[in-house]
Amino acid sequence: MGTAEPQVATTSTTTDAQSPVTDGFHLVIDALKLNGIDTIFGLPGIPITDFTRMAQAAGMRVISFRHEQSAGNAAAIAGFMTQKPGICLTVSAPGFLNGLTALANATTNCFPMILVSGSSEREIVDLQQGDYEEMDQLAVAKPLCKAAFRVLHAEDIGVGIARAIRAAVSGRPGGVYLDLPAKLFAQTMDAQAGRKSLVKVVDPAPRQIPAQDAVQRALELLKSAKRPLIVLGKGAAYAQADADLRALVEKTGIPYLPMSMAKGLLPDTHAQCAAAARSYVLAEADVVMLVGARLNWLLSHGKGKTWGGKDPKAWGGQKFIQIDISAQEMDSNVGIDAPLVGDIGSCVCALLAGLGSNWAKPPADWLRAVAERKDKNLAKMAEALAKDPTPMNFHSALNVVRDIIKVNPDAILVNEGANALDFTRSIVDMYKPRKRLDVGTWGVMGIGMGFSVAAAVVSGLPVIAIEGDSAFGFSGMEVETICRYHLPVCVVIFNNNGVYRGTDVNPSGGPDVAPTVFVKGARYDKLMEAFGGVGVHATTPAELRKAMEQAICSRKPTLINAVIDETAGTESGRITSLNPTSGKRNKSNS
Ligand SMILES: Cc1ncc(C[n+]2csc(CCOP(=O)(O)OP(=O)(O)O)c2C)c(N)n1
Ligand SMILES: [Mg+2]
């Protein structure tokens, strides 16, 4: 393929200020660098191969993946961690499409990223004359992202990149598509004019200050509560308003519930954390303040039995305060009594200022009732964690992970799977903000290795990826990427021989195994060894603990194949009820 690459102007480099001409390649690199973007997650090929080389030559970190979806997931989570748009770079049509799932997932999760894709000749694509990798990528991307732009002329690159950056991070963050046709890269222009055409984005995500009357309304409602609750979402984690948020929670004394990626905003061991009494507080609270958390399916749409409603669609009678940057989020599922629209940092700051010095703590009987439920459930959990069955189950394996995170609170935990996800979320306490990265709003499989690579690249800290064996398969080839860049990633595969469990049988009695079952006793550890990493086969908690400790200490790419009882999981983990049931009775489901 290399011989078919477009010819490029080689007289210019990004560092050569004297060069009379520049070109599209260099203008894109210069525009990104001007805006503080120093890393690209991508996969080379026509028409962007030379671009990746030039970006690397210009001092950018270019992390090359084995599949664009992983590069896209890496860009998305880098955006979440840094509040700067993560850049994913792909080739045209198929590469673009491979990246698109990550772009759509980023948009759904409000992660700022820019999918930059090379594309084919506009004239040929638009006449559908059958170009190499022909596709109207802009049209395909548009409904799946927050904004989509195409740049046709070199002199517009500065504005194009600026618009993409601002769209990704301002207001509610999300995915942005930037279409760069092959011809654009080779276009030349006067170097000085080129430099002048670049735009350094000023204040890309301007603060959005909430209105004072909205702040007062929220405070009054909160003050009137007998059984208040705060729910922290990943929007609150994204905001990086950690100290103020903690002050707000502690000054009000209100029990709080962290959503999955908000775990660790305050340590999960905090006295006010009500995670272990989740079903009790959701059903019983009379005023709920949502901070960067949406009332989507993850919170049962704010109604039904979870919220104390009489039937699955009934409102439970509680009042809601919602802090969100998007006014449109309000009333999405139930009426919001006190909408507080603004960026989370500014909203939390305004609430703190309005609390005054004599804010009354919630009624003692509410706090006592929450504490009782919590203690009871934590005692039950401790009992389950203390068991040491053979083979290991999720609890005995996660007891180890829990200890490891406790002594390594800076390590980043990536997590996907069904049971492997749900048990990890409830068992493994997090102690610091933005340390838990997982499947997010969609519950999407395939984020594991992309998130792990980005987390390690962005932070330099050790990463622990707890992966269902099915979940791992979606991005497993990226263990080569992890080895290639010598990243301190320890992948732990909870191997229960399949999707949810490994015990299903083919109802027809035919020779194929059931659709949820994998090769029994697979040795995923060998996959890591193939690329020079450390592979460990662990069948006991002691072996798992030793291998994880060594991985953290050595920072060597490590994959631990943790053998889990194949009967231990449940269908769909904690979300079994979302499976439709067949109305038709037949042999297999009667
Ligand atoms: C992209 C995508 N495809 C399919 C699914 C459906 N799905 C949900 S969890 C899961 C895998 C669960 O198995 P595993 O990762 O082994 O976890 P376990 O429950 O066995 O611990 C699948 C395929 C999904 N969520 N996302
Ligand atoms: Mg499994």
Side-chain angles (χ1 to χ4, degrees):
M1 266 203 183
T3 52
E5 303 277 288
Q7 292 300 301
V8 301
T10 50
T11 50
S12 160
T13 72
T14 47
T15 49
D16 182 3
Q18 304 309 312
S19 175
V21 293
T22 186
D23 61 18
F25 288 101
H26 294 94
L27 286 166
V28 174
I29 293 164
D30 291 347
L32 291 172
K33 287 178 70 176
L34 181 67
N35 284 288
I37 293 172
D38 56 10
T39 306
I40 292 173
F41 303 96
L43 202 160
I46 294 173
I48 49 109
T49 314
D50 266 343
F51 178 83
T52 60
R53 295 188 182 111
M54 293 179 203
Q56 194 170 50
M60 294 189 81
R61 188 107 199 253
V62 182
I63 305 291
S64 213
F65 284 77
R66 304 300 293 260
H67 191 287
E68 291 88 349
Q69 192 176 112
S70 294
N73 286 323
I77 210 65
F80 170 76
M81 294 172 73
T82 63
Q83 296 182 327
K84 276 188 202 164
I87 306 293
C88 173
L89 179 71
T90 78
V91 303
S92 28
F96 156 77
L97 287 172
N98 284 345
L100 202 54
T101 307
L103 185 70
N105 187 56
T107 307
T108 300
N109 283 280
C110 318
F111 299 153
M113 77 171 271
I114 304 173
L115 174 65
V116 182
S117 289
S119 59
S120 304
E121 297 273 352
R122 287 259 33 96
E123 297 84 341
I124 304 179
V125 172
D126 288 348
L127 273 171
Q128 297 167 39
Q129 293 174 307
D131 202 4
Y132 168 72
E133 296 190 349
E134 175 179 295
M135 174 174 281
D136 187 356
Q137 296 170 197
L138 188 74
V140 173
K142 241 179 208 169
L144 299 170
C145 58
K146 191 177 165 194
F149 305 102
R150 177 187 290 134
V151 182
L152 293 178
H153 302 293
E155 59 265 35
D156 293 331
I157 285 173
V159 165
I161 299 270
R163 298 211 71 189
I165 291 171
R166 196 178 280 285
V169 295
S170 63
R172 168 172 284 180
V176 174
Y177 176 60
L178 186 63
D179 193 277
L180 303 181
K183 266 190 188 170
L184 176 79
F185 290 101
Q187 275 179 33
T188 55
M189 69 182 286
D190 174 74
Q192 204 183 351
R195 266 194 301 282
K196 280 198 187 140
S197 72
L198 302 183
V199 177
K200 183 165 167 53
V201 182
V202 176
D203 194 11
R207 283 190 301 156
Q208 295 186 24
I209 314 289
Q212 250 329 297
D213 57 335
V215 175
Q216 276 317 314
R217 191 188 295 121
L219 283 169
E220 271 153 37
L221 184 51
L222 206 55
K223 206 177 270 181
S224 72
K226 301 266 180 299
R227 299 180 305 280
L229 174 70
I230 295 173
V231 178
L232 303 175
K234 66 176 161 330
Y238 177 79
Q240 300 195 15
D242 309 331
D244 280 352
L245 199 64
R246 184 170 184 154
L248 180 67
V249 171
E250 291 183 340
K251 282 196 176 153
T252 59
I254 297 173
Y256 73 92
L257 204 57
M259 299 300 289
S260 198
M261 282 177 63
K263 275 166 70 75
L265 264 178
L266 288 84
D268 283 341
T269 47
H270 195 283
Q272 284 169 254
C273 180
R278 186 180 197 272
S279 18
Y280 179 74
V281 291
L282 287 181
E284 293 297 322
D286 66 344
V287 174
V288 179
M289 181 160 80
L290 303 159
V291 187
R294 295 171 286 184
L295 284 178
N296 56 22
W297 73 280
L298 288 159
L299 282 171
S300 308
H301 306 283
K303 55 195 166 191
K305 296 201 167 151
T306 307
W307 292 89
K310 287 201 175 50
D311 61 64
K313 292 238 159 177
W315 172 53
Q318 57 281 94
K319 303 219 154 158
F320 286 102
I321 301 163
Q322 182 159 24
I323 305 180
D324 201 287
I325 200 157
S326 165
Q328 254 181 290
E329 188 56 42
M330 307 298 153
D331 313 319
S332 61
N333 286 276
V334 293
I336 299 298
D337 305 273
L340 195 50
V341 176
D343 70 277
I344 286 169
S346 299
C347 290
V348 167
C349 193
L351 286 173
L352 257 182
L355 283 185
S357 52
N358 56 348
W359 182 270
K361 296 270 145 104
D365 54 349
W366 170 237
L367 298 183
R368 202 175 315 117
V370 176
E372 270 168 23
R373 292 300 189 299
K374 196 176 142 177
D375 291 348
K376 203 172 90 191
N377 291 338
L378 287 176
K380 228 190 280 171
M381 162 98 77
E383 219 173 277
L385 292 177
K387 290 185 184 144
D388 187 10
T390 309
M392 277 191 287
N393 62 10
F394 288 100
H395 283 88
S396 62
L398 283 166
N399 189 37
V400 172
V401 180
R402 180 180 154 97
D403 289 348
I404 298 275
I405 293 285
K406 192 173 181 181
V407 292
N408 299 283
D410 282 314
I412 294 170
L413 183 75
V414 172
N415 190 199
E416 62 177 335
N419 295 278
L421 176 89
D422 293 337
F423 283 117
T424 306
R425 185 175 52 230
S426 58
I427 292 172
V428 178
D429 289 329
M430 305 305 298
Y431 300 87
K432 296 197 174 182
R434 293 170 296 283
K435 296 296 186 185
R436 187 186 152 85
L437 311 174
D438 68 27
V439 299
T441 312
W442 269 352
V444 69
M445 297 299 112
I447 50 90
M449 298 304 104
F451 277 17
S452 297
V453 169
V457 165
V458 166
S459 73
L461 294 165
V463 176
I464 296 168
I466 303 296
E467 300 275 314
D469 51 337
S470 165
F472 172 73
F474 288 74
S475 66
M477 196 63 201
E478 303 298 345
V479 294
E480 188 276 331
T481 311
I482 291 169
C483 289
R484 186 167 11 110
Y485 293 104
H486 310 289
L487 298 174
V489 176
C490 173
V491 182
V492 183
I493 295 182
F494 278 14
N495 188 353
N496 61 353
N497 295 337
V499 178
Y500 313 136
R501 45 202 284 141
T503 51
D504 270 11
V505 288
N506 179 341
S508 77
D512 289 348
V513 295
T516 54
V517 168
F518 294 158
V519 167
K520 303 260 182 195
R523 292 290 300 272
Y524 293 99
D525 46 315
K526 305 265 186 206
L527 205 59
M528 189 56 120
E529 286 173 358
F531 303 109
V534 178
V536 180
H537 181 63
T539 59
T540 64
E543 287 168 1
L544 176 60
R545 189 180 301 271
K546 185 166 159 233
M548 288 188 78
E549 281 169 355
Q550 278 179 354
I552 297 252
C553 186
S554 71
R555 292 175 61 94
K556 282 191 187 143
T558 300
L559 191 153
I560 305 168
N561 181 53
V563 179
I564 301 289
D565 181 357
E566 64 173 4
T567 68
T570 55
E571 176 101 2
S572 304
R574 291 269 167 91
I575 52 174
T576 303
S577 62
L578 295 181
N579 283 311
T581 38
S582 170
K584 181 169 177 267
R585 291 172 64 83
N586 59 32
K587 252 193 181 162
S588 65
N589 66 5
S590 59

